[in-house]
């Protein structure tokens, strides 16, 4: 399985500011995803991070709010822009492993917006 | 109908008993199915994957898949207090999309 390093692990941010979360994988992977997990809830897919092209966003998520970069096959960033308290959540990076399509997760970023 | 549906629980099982977790999914064409365990404050951890009809056993865990009924389950034998966690069912390639969709999770508590 891939080793995924995600940082920061947690942060407390002021409303109106932006936070960029980084995800580094120890091997090249085709599929990388960003999820959000609100308190007491399951995982909701934000977008698929595509290498060399714009991310594919799920319904309810837009690029202006959650810009994503994927400069190569081992790295991606998610920015949470113009934050409000409603953005307080855990954000998770995930990669798919090979043909088995098993997904593995980073440690998550616990974001609190005050 | 939700794409991937689980009973949110909580499910309480005595130590040593069998815990049974269930999941249904909406797309008959889905091919890959997974169970993740998530401890409070931690990220999800893959515990079982299953791709064909029938049972798949790994230690105390057994995954069961019935594609005709669009149903996947997870059995945990000889439940231990350390099994207390939220269990997430996930389906890949739901309706042809190359993404993993999660159910809402079932919170399981094993009582000593």
């Amino acid at each position: 399985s891939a080793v995924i390093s995600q940082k920061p692990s947690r942060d407390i941010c002021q409303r109106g500011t932006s936070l960029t979360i980084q995800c580094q994988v120890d091997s090249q992977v085709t599929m990388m995803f960003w999820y959000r997990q609100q308190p007491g809830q399951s995982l909701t897919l934000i977008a698929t991070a595509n290498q060399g092209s714009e991310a594919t966003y799920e319904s309810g998520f837009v690029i202006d709010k959650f810009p994503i970069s994927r400069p190569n096959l081992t790295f991606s960033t998610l920015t949470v822009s113009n934050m409000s308290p409603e953005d307080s959540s855990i954000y998770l990076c995930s990669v798919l492993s090979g043909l088995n399509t098993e997904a593995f997760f980073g440690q998550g970023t616990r974001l609190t917006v005050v | 109908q939700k794409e991937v549906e689980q009973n949110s629980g909580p499910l309480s099982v005595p130590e040593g008993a069998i815990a049974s977790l269930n999941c249904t999914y909406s797309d008959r064409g889905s091919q890959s199915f997974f169970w993740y365990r998530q401890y409070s404050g931690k990220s999800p951890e893959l515990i079982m994957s299953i791709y064909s009809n029938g049972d798949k056993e790994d230690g105390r865990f057994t995954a069961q898949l019935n594609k005709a009924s669009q149903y996947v389950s997870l059995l945990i034998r000889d439940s231990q207090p350390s099994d207390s966690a939220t269990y997430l069912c996930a389906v890949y390639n739901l309706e042809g999309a190359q993404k993993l969709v999660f159910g809402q999770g079932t919170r399981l508590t094993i009582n000593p």
Side-chain angles (χ1 to χ4, degrees):
Chain A
S1 64
V3 176
I4 305 166
S5 299
Q6 188 176 334
K7 59 181 182 182
S9 59
R10 60 177 62 230
D11 207 342
I12 300 174
C13 300
Q14 297 291 321
R15 68 178 66 199
T17 63
S18 298
L19 176 72
T20 296
I21 303 167
Q22 297 181 2
C23 179
Q24 178 74 54
V25 189
D26 68 341
S27 59
Q28 293 187 339
V29 293
T30 304
M31 307 292 286
M32 291 182 74
F33 304 90
W34 287 97
Y35 287 85
R36 181 175 73 183
Q37 187 171 31
Q38 296 181 305
Q41 303 295 313
S42 186
L43 282 71
T44 300
L45 181 63
I46 297 172
T48 302
N50 300 311
Q51 194 268 329
S53 64
E54 193 170 285
T56 304
Y57 289 85
E58 297 299 305
S59 176
F61 298 95
V62 295
I63 187 171
D64 290 346
K65 177 67 175 177
F66 297 102
I68 289 171
S69 77
R70 177 93 189 269
N72 55 52
L73 293 176
T74 64
F75 186 78
S76 178
T77 67
L78 168 74
T79 299
V80 186
S81 303
N82 188 25
M83 289 183 284
S84 67
E86 292 71 33
D87 294 320
S88 297
S89 189
I90 297 172
Y91 293 85
L92 291 152
C93 168
S94 173
V95 303
L96 288 189
S97 174
L99 297 176
N100 289 336
T101 64
E102 295 176 344
F104 299 93
F105 289 84
Q107 308 94 312
T109 297
R110 182 180 294 272
L111 171 63
T112 303
V113 183
V114 297
Chain B
Q1 181 191 2
K2 293 181 181 177
E3 293 177 303
V4 182
E5 196 152 3
Q6 297 178 250
N7 187 329
S8 61
L11 177 64
S12 185
V13 173
E15 184 176 357
I18 296 175
S20 178
L21 305 162
N22 304 315
C23 173
T24 58
Y25 58 95
S26 60
D27 179 24
R28 187 178 295 275
S30 300
Q31 296 295 317
S32 306
F33 308 86
F34 307 93
W35 283 98
Y36 286 83
R37 178 176 62 199
Q38 187 175 28
Y39 293 114
S40 180
K42 301 295 186 182
S43 59
E45 171 193 13
L46 178 66
I47 55 172
M48 289 290 287
S49 57
I50 188 165
Y51 306 97
S52 55
N53 282 327
D55 295 358
K56 178 182 178 183
E57 187 175 318
D58 183 0
R60 296 186 295 111
F61 298 98
T62 299
Q64 300 174 317
L65 175 61
N66 184 325
K67 289 186 177 180
S69 300
Q70 297 171 233
Y71 175 90
V72 58
S73 66
L74 179 70
L75 302 177
I76 306 175
R77 291 183 300 281
D78 187 23
S79 297
Q80 303 296 310
S82 59
D83 294 327
S84 298
T86 295
Y87 288 81
L88 299 160
C89 172
V91 178
Y92 180 75
N93 208 32
L94 208 66
E95 298 176 351
Q98 291 187 28
K99 60 184 181 182
L100 200 60
V101 178
F102 285 83
Q104 62 268 47
T106 299
R107 184 182 301 176
L108 173 66
T109 299
I110 306 300
N111 299 310

